Amino acid sequence: MKESLFRPRGIAIAGASRDPAKVGHQVLHNLLAVGYPGQIALVHPQASSILGVQAYPDLAAVPISVEMLILALPADTTPTMVEAIQRRRRERGDLKVVVALAGGFAETRTEEGERLQEMLADGCRTAGVRLLGPNCVGVIDHRNRLDTSFLSVMHRRPSGISVLSQSGSMAAWMAMEWGARPTPVGLNKFISLGNMADMSLPELVGDLSDDPTTRAIGIYLEGMSDVQPFLDAARRASRRKPVVVMKAGRTETGAQAALQHTGAPPGSDELYEQAFPANGLLRVRRVDDFVSTLTTFDRLPLPLGSRLAVLSNSGGAGVCTLDVLADQGVSLARFSPASLTMMRSVLPHFAVVGNPDGYVDMTGGVGPRQVAQAVATALRDPGVDAVFHLFMPTNFNDTEAMAEELLRLLPGLKRNSLEKPLFLVLLGGQSTAQARQLLEEHGMMTYSSPEQAAISFAAMARYAASRQLVRHV
Amino acid sequence: MKESLFRPRGIAIAGASRDPAKVGHQVLHNLLAVGYPGQIALVHPQASSILGVQAYPDLAAVPISVEMLILALPADTTPTMVEAIQRRRRERGDLKVVVALAGGFAETRTEEGERLQEMLADGCRTAGVRLLGPNCVGVIDHRNRLDTSFLSVMHRRPSGISVLSQSGSMAAWMAMEWGARPTPVGLNKFISLGNMADMSLPELVGDLSDDPTTRAIGIYLEGMSDVQPFLDAARRASRRKPVVVMKAGRTETGAQAALQHTGAPPGSDELYEQAFPANGLLRVRRVDDFVSTLTTFDRLPLPLGSRLAVLSNSGGAGVCTLDVLADQGVSLARFSPASLTMMRSVLPHFAVVGNPDGYVDMTGGVGPRQVAQAVATALRDPGVDAVFHLFMPTNFNDTEAMAEELLRLLPGLKRNSLEKPLFLVLLGGQSTAQARQLLEEHGMMTYSSPEQAAISFAAMARYAASRQLVRHV
């Protein structure tokens, strides 16, 4: 783990600005807003202070200890900054990490851009300073109250999810989706990869793998020049925690745009399709699936196997969900005779129990208490590894009442079956918002579509299976 | 068109109840709530009135004209009710349609259930009365202020979308998703198919095809015994308006559950996969796609071709969207030299314009006015049939400001390019809610994910192409 990247003692910002529209202002603003606990100093030719933070005319003059330097200056200042970095190392020896935000380097695929990037990377290397970027939005570590980014959308309560992203705006999009969940989810660590002139994807995957507060790793990729070191690092990481990857630029036009965007070669998607699962990586294709799969890994216990029970109070939604689960290669559980008897006695006589195996159409006429009892029975069944509970508000059953019955029964359930994940799929748009919030505040995980739940469970089942393999080897 | 189904003169409800938890109460409640303009009477052995509506001991005693009878009684009352229906026809001759809500008929696949259904269907046929159901949630026509259902979730402002569904709860789910849109969407007509003992899917598809207020038809299916008549009706309908179908029970387990649910044979999905497109049907696989595709057809003009321009202020989201569009087989436009020049002069110098063809990465640094100008340019380009405008709020550009700039420019645009659909994809969860509402209140269509927009556009392009074929034949 890079202490100086996630918990630097002292930060200097070169390029801080008084103008709220400028990146150099927003970075300082974010750092103050998250309550960074160390000292901050600015490097600014004229200003004496911005937002109450003391400024100095050059880096050499900064009196505090500076472990991290944030560069919020255009690419053409690189020669001057490299000199300043090397001088600081010589004179003070405190600088350890440079975070270079600006674009205009190798991603432009121009000679000038490549020359400046090489100069920056070489300058840092010879000075013994590590470099994140350039062309990145920085690093966020909510646990350590660090935010060097100019994003304004990250929820701050840290979860166990850490994300590496080759695109800053994708990270912003994902952060907004996480923030819009029934209980907003903040990331644990977020690292914007940028051009990876020094700190590389494999190295940072290794860092997150070692990080005890990271329970699940998410990676957004568009391309890279050397795939094998990444696959090696990901394989090692996935033995310790789930690694979910969204690789864009899958198609010809997507790849062409990706090359313009990050400057990194997108590579053949067929290769990735084989290499990802072979190296333990869990691939998703949509941002909503990325968000819900990682949140699932963070919140729910891993199932011991892949035998899933599905209970629905909507026949139609049940059919659709079984379709989606079959698409994902998920196999259903087989209820024990005791569970079948119990559910038949609890549910209305027109409910369809165990046909197909592992599936219960509780029907729309079912009440809150019956639903909760059926779910409890499924969770207790030794032949069941995980439960899908599909629910739609009806005139006979509102979602809040169902949620409360579930919570009444779940403390006991939790004691008996801590090991089993429960997928609460609450259908019906905004009408279930309150119940979802209530359930999530109790640490549960809810979904608004069968697809999100199915993709999340399939990833979990694949991961659990791979872990078992590792255990048995 | 069935006047007596959608605009009955006089309705009687057999099985009305004082108990709000009962279907027989909810039906009456809905009918009153939508402001049904005709007369209502109840058939009830004891009550003299419920919710202020007069009750009579039997159907023969109802003095008002009864064109529609709603049966909210259990299946075992069938013999009595058939007698009452036949007597009413003999004595008064006014009854034209029976809507039978209860289950317990052929869908149970028991001898008794099948016998009762045959008795009901035969009884109606010999009396010259049409039958909807049994085992359905009824019919809704918001334009005619009719609602015989016991659903409580349908938004009442009618759109041009009409839906036929083999599952009542699926209709409820869809209605809730429509109601949760930035501007809530109500259906035009909704018909719950039930067991189709008399009124059949092909016949009702024909009715909606003839209905001048229905702009787009949506169908949720789980199975049917005779596919060809449906395909014939759908093919004819799709020459007049788009027909979007969601067929569930696609997989082995899904089909098994579907058979238990509706009692209708789900059939081979390979057959449907071939037959749907061959007969002009547009298939979707997810409820969210069903809802957004139909809403798109209702709101946006049909494109004259399939050449799509994509503009994004997020490089990553742009790449993802191009991937999804390629998955859907969508081909990109080629900008005219004039458009390229114009966009390059308007956008920041680091924007990537026309690489790949038809795509513009406006970059995150772009401001509201620049965005609106670029979108306007793309819409004006004669080589562009439709435009995707992907937008993510940034520190340099908030969504409301962008939406207002767009509205400022769009009145002129509308005059010049009425024929071109604009797909506003606003990413970032709840943070774009206000802007989406603003844009939708002006009649536009917004999307919260590239996938929904891509699937909707692909359906539109396929439909437009099939219409061209028909025109040229």
Side-chain angles (χ1 to χ4, degrees):
Chain A
M1 282 295 294
K2 296 181 175 53
E3 278 292 306
S4 48
L5 180 65
F6 298 116
R7 198 156 55 179
R9 271 166 300 177
I11 296 178
I13 305 174
S17 165
R18 292 186 196 285
D19 179 356
K22 291 275 167 68
V23 165
H25 183 93
Q26 292 160 8
V27 170
L28 175 58
H29 173 271
N30 276 10
L31 207 47
L32 295 171
V34 294
Y36 168 67
Q39 281 187 293
I40 313 174
L42 309 181
V43 178
H44 196 283
Q46 293 95 33
S48 65
S49 79
I50 298 172
L51 294 177
V53 176
Q54 187 77 40
Y56 304 89
D58 56 52
L59 185 59
V62 173
I64 64 160
S65 174
V66 175
E67 268 198 2
M68 175 184 279
L69 170 66
I70 301 172
L71 286 182
L73 287 167
D76 60 13
T77 64
T78 301
T80 323
M81 288 319 301
V82 165
E83 231 170 87
I85 289 163
Q86 293 185 321
R87 181 175 167 199
R88 180 88 195 180
R89 277 296 290 184
R90 269 198 317 274
E91 293 179 358
R92 296 285 299 261
D94 51 0
L95 191 61
K96 290 186 178 163
V97 172
V98 167
V99 177
L101 304 178
F105 291 92
E107 85 283 0
T108 60
R109 295 186 305 150
T110 59
E111 235 172 77
E112 178 62 3
E114 278 165 16
R115 192 183 66 82
L116 289 171
Q117 180 162 319
E118 208 169 308
M119 183 188 291
L120 180 62
D122 280 355
C124 287
R125 189 168 49 248
T126 55
V129 172
R130 298 303 309 269
L131 170 66
L132 180 66
N135 185 34
C136 73
V137 299
V139 56
I140 298 175
D141 183 342
H142 282 130
R143 218 169 276 273
N144 290 317
R145 290 186 281 155
L146 176 73
D147 183 348
T148 81
S149 84
F150 49 97
L151 303 174
S152 59
V153 292
M154 211 67 90
H155 186 77
R156 288 185 194 140
R157 190 171 61 186
S159 65
I161 304 163
S162 292
V163 168
L164 296 164
S165 175
Q166 226 173 358
S167 158
S169 63
M170 285 302 288
W173 179 10
M174 290 163 174
M176 287 187 275
E177 298 287 342
W178 262 306
R181 286 198 54 82
T183 48
V185 174
L187 294 183
N188 187 312
K189 293 179 174 61
F190 163 65
I191 305 160
S192 172
L193 295 165
N195 295 356
M196 298 189 273
D198 172 26
M199 286 190 204
S200 68
L201 180 57
E203 179 185 352
L204 292 162
V205 167
D207 288 335
L208 293 181
S209 170
D210 290 340
D211 175 19
T213 63
T214 293
R215 282 170 56 93
I217 302 172
I219 305 175
Y220 173 80
L221 284 181
E222 292 189 6
M224 65 194 101
S225 38
D226 194 1
V227 182
Q228 199 51 52
F230 164 63
L231 293 173
D232 292 338
R235 189 177 59 252
R236 281 191 298 272
S238 70
R239 287 190 192 127
R240 302 171 71 178
K241 50 193 80 171
V243 182
V244 177
V245 64
M246 178 164 172
K247 163 71 180 72
R250 297 183 282 106
T251 62
E252 203 182 320
T253 45
Q256 196 178 335
L259 185 60
Q260 301 302 317
H261 181 225
T262 57
S268 140
D269 204 65
E270 278 167 43
L271 185 150
Y272 288 114
E273 273 295 275
Q274 293 196 324
F276 284 159
N279 288 278
L281 281 161
L282 305 161
R283 185 179 195 171
V284 295
R285 282 164 187 264
R286 297 170 58 129
V287 163
D288 51 1
D289 294 332
F290 185 85
V291 164
S292 70
T293 301
L294 283 162
T295 314
T296 301
F297 274 117
D298 187 40
R299 291 225 186 127
L300 299 187
L302 267 191
L304 291 180
S306 60
R307 299 165 305 171
L308 181 69
V310 178
L311 288 76
S312 178
N313 78 331
S314 155
V319 172
C320 294
T321 303
L322 295 182
D323 280 344
V324 173
L325 286 165
D327 291 342
Q328 292 294 321
V330 170
S331 55
L332 295 185
R334 182 183 276 270
F335 291 119
S336 71
S339 297
L340 290 171
T341 306
M342 172 61 123
M343 287 197 269
R344 285 192 185 114
S345 78
V346 162
L347 295 172
H349 73 275
F350 41 87
V352 181
V353 180
N355 190 358
D357 272 336
Y359 173 67
V360 183
D361 179 357
M362 301 184 288
T363 75
V366 78
R369 190 161 174 76
Q370 297 169 299
V371 167
Q373 286 173 320
V375 170
T377 304
L379 276 169
R380 274 198 211 97
D381 191 313
V384 169
D385 298 313
V387 174
F388 262 45
H389 168 25
L390 295 170
F391 188 84
M392 198 181 294
T394 68
N395 288 347
F396 311 102
N397 202 340
D398 77 75
T399 319
E400 278 93 55
M402 183 282 295
E404 276 158 22
E405 279 294 344
L406 216 53
L407 285 168
R408 222 191 311 278
L409 279 173
L410 272 181
L413 281 181
K414 274 187 177 164
R415 279 195 298 278
N416 292 331
S417 49
L418 268 173
E419 294 296 308
K420 295 187 189 174
L422 171 60
F423 291 77
L424 295 160
V425 188
L426 303 190
L427 305 171
Q430 278 308 99
S431 62
T432 65
Q434 240 183 310
R436 290 185 67 193
Q437 199 182 336
L438 176 70
L439 291 163
E440 295 221 345
E441 276 165 3
H442 283 79
M444 299 184 209
M445 177 67 191
T446 68
Y447 305 82
S448 59
S449 81
E451 287 82 6
Q452 271 176 25
I455 285 166
S456 298
F457 174 69
M460 210 173 215
R462 278 201 301 282
Y463 182 66
S466 75
R467 289 286 291 258
Q468 299 256 317
L469 277 176
V470 171
R471 249 183 254 156
H472 293 321
V473 163
Chain B
M1 282 295 295
K2 296 181 173 55
E3 279 292 308
S4 48
L5 181 64
F6 299 116
R7 200 155 55 179
R9 271 166 301 176
I11 296 177
I13 305 173
S17 165
R18 291 187 196 284
D19 180 355
K22 289 274 168 67
V23 165
H25 183 93
Q26 292 161 9
V27 169
L28 174 58
H29 173 271
N30 276 10
L31 207 48
L32 295 171
V34 294
Y36 168 67
Q39 283 188 293
I40 313 173
L42 308 180
V43 180
H44 196 282
Q46 294 97 32
S48 65
S49 79
I50 297 173
L51 293 177
V53 176
Q54 188 77 41
Y56 304 89
D58 56 53
L59 185 59
V62 174
I64 65 161
S65 172
V66 174
E67 267 197 3
M68 176 183 280
L69 171 66
I70 302 171
L71 287 182
L73 289 166
D76 60 13
T77 65
T78 301
T80 325
M81 287 319 300
V82 165
E83 233 171 84
I85 288 163
Q86 293 184 323
R87 181 174 168 200
R88 180 84 194 184
R89 277 296 291 183
R90 270 200 314 277
E91 292 180 359
R92 296 286 299 262
D94 51 0
L95 192 59
K96 291 187 178 163
V97 172
V98 169
V99 176
L101 303 179
F105 292 92
E107 86 283 0
T108 60
R109 296 186 304 150
T110 60
E111 238 172 75
E112 177 63 3
E114 278 165 14
R115 193 183 65 81
L116 289 170
Q117 180 162 317
E118 210 169 306
M119 182 188 292
L120 179 63
D122 280 355
C124 287
R125 188 169 47 248
T126 55
V129 171
R130 300 303 308 269
L131 170 66
L132 180 66
N135 186 32
C136 73
V137 299
V139 55
I140 298 176
D141 182 343
H142 283 131
R143 219 168 275 275
N144 290 317
R145 288 184 282 155
L146 176 74
D147 183 349
T148 81
S149 83
F150 50 96
L151 302 174
S152 59
V153 291
M154 210 65 90
H155 185 79
R156 287 182 195 143
R157 189 171 60 185
S159 66
I161 304 162
S162 292
V163 168
L164 297 163
S165 175
Q166 226 173 359
S167 159
S169 62
M170 284 302 287
W173 179 10
M174 289 163 176
M176 287 186 274
E177 298 287 343
W178 261 306
R181 285 199 53 83
T183 48
V185 174
L187 294 183
N188 187 313
K189 294 180 171 61
F190 163 65
I191 305 159
S192 172
L193 295 165
N195 294 357
M196 298 187 272
D198 173 25
M199 286 191 206
S200 67
L201 180 58
E203 180 186 351
L204 291 163
V205 168
D207 288 335
L208 293 181
S209 170
D210 291 340
D211 175 18
T213 64
T214 294
R215 284 170 54 92
I217 302 172
I219 306 174
Y220 174 80
L221 285 181
E222 292 188 6
M224 65 194 100
S225 39
D226 195 1
V227 182
Q228 199 52 53
F230 164 62
L231 293 174
D232 292 339
R235 191 176 56 251
R236 281 192 298 273
S238 71
R239 288 190 194 129
R240 302 172 70 178
K241 50 193 79 171
V243 183
V244 177
V245 64
M246 180 165 170
K247 163 73 179 71
R250 296 182 282 106
T251 62
E252 202 182 320
T253 46
Q256 196 178 335
L259 184 61
Q260 301 301 317
H261 180 225
T262 58
S268 139
D269 204 65
E270 278 166 43
L271 187 149
Y272 288 114
E273 272 294 275
Q274 293 196 323
F276 284 159
N279 289 280
L281 281 161
L282 304 161
R283 184 178 198 173
V284 294
R285 283 163 186 264
R286 297 170 59 131
V287 163
D288 52 1
D289 294 333
F290 186 86
V291 164
S292 70
T293 300
L294 283 162
T295 314
T296 301
F297 274 117
D298 187 41
R299 291 226 186 126
L300 299 187
L302 266 191
L304 292 180
S306 60
R307 298 166 305 171
L308 181 69
V310 178
L311 287 76
S312 177
N313 78 332
S314 154
V319 172
C320 294
T321 303
L322 295 182
D323 280 344
V324 173
L325 286 165
D327 291 343
Q328 293 294 321
V330 170
S331 54
L332 295 184
R334 183 183 275 269
F335 291 119
S336 72
S339 297
L340 289 172
T341 306
M342 172 62 123
M343 286 197 270
R344 285 193 185 115
S345 78
V346 163
L347 295 171
H349 73 275
F350 41 87
V352 182
V353 180
N355 189 359
D357 273 335
Y359 173 67
V360 183
D361 178 356
M362 302 185 287
T363 75
V366 79
R369 189 161 176 77
Q370 297 169 300
V371 167
Q373 286 173 321
V375 169
T377 304
L379 277 169
R380 276 198 209 98
D381 191 313
V384 169
D385 297 313
V387 174
F388 262 45
H389 170 25
L390 295 170
F391 188 84
M392 197 182 293
T394 68
N395 287 348
F396 311 102
N397 203 339
D398 78 76
T399 320
E400 279 93 56
M402 184 281 296
E404 275 158 23
E405 279 294 343
L406 217 53
L407 286 168
R408 221 191 312 277
L409 279 174
L410 273 180
L413 283 181
K414 274 187 177 161
R415 281 195 296 278
N416 292 330
S417 50
L418 268 172
E419 294 296 307
K420 296 187 189 175
L422 172 60
F423 291 77
L424 296 160
V425 188
L426 303 190
L427 306 171
Q430 278 308 98
S431 62
T432 65
Q434 240 183 308
R436 290 185 67 191
Q437 197 181 336
L438 176 70
L439 290 164
E440 295 220 345
E441 276 165 4
H442 283 80
M444 301 184 208
M445 178 67 191
T446 67
Y447 305 81
S448 59
S449 81
E451 287 83 6
Q452 272 176 25
I455 285 165
S456 299
F457 174 69
M460 211 173 215
R462 278 201 302 280
Y463 182 66
S466 74
R467 289 286 292 258
Q468 299 258 318
L469 278 175
V470 170
R471 248 181 253 158
H472 293 320
V473 164

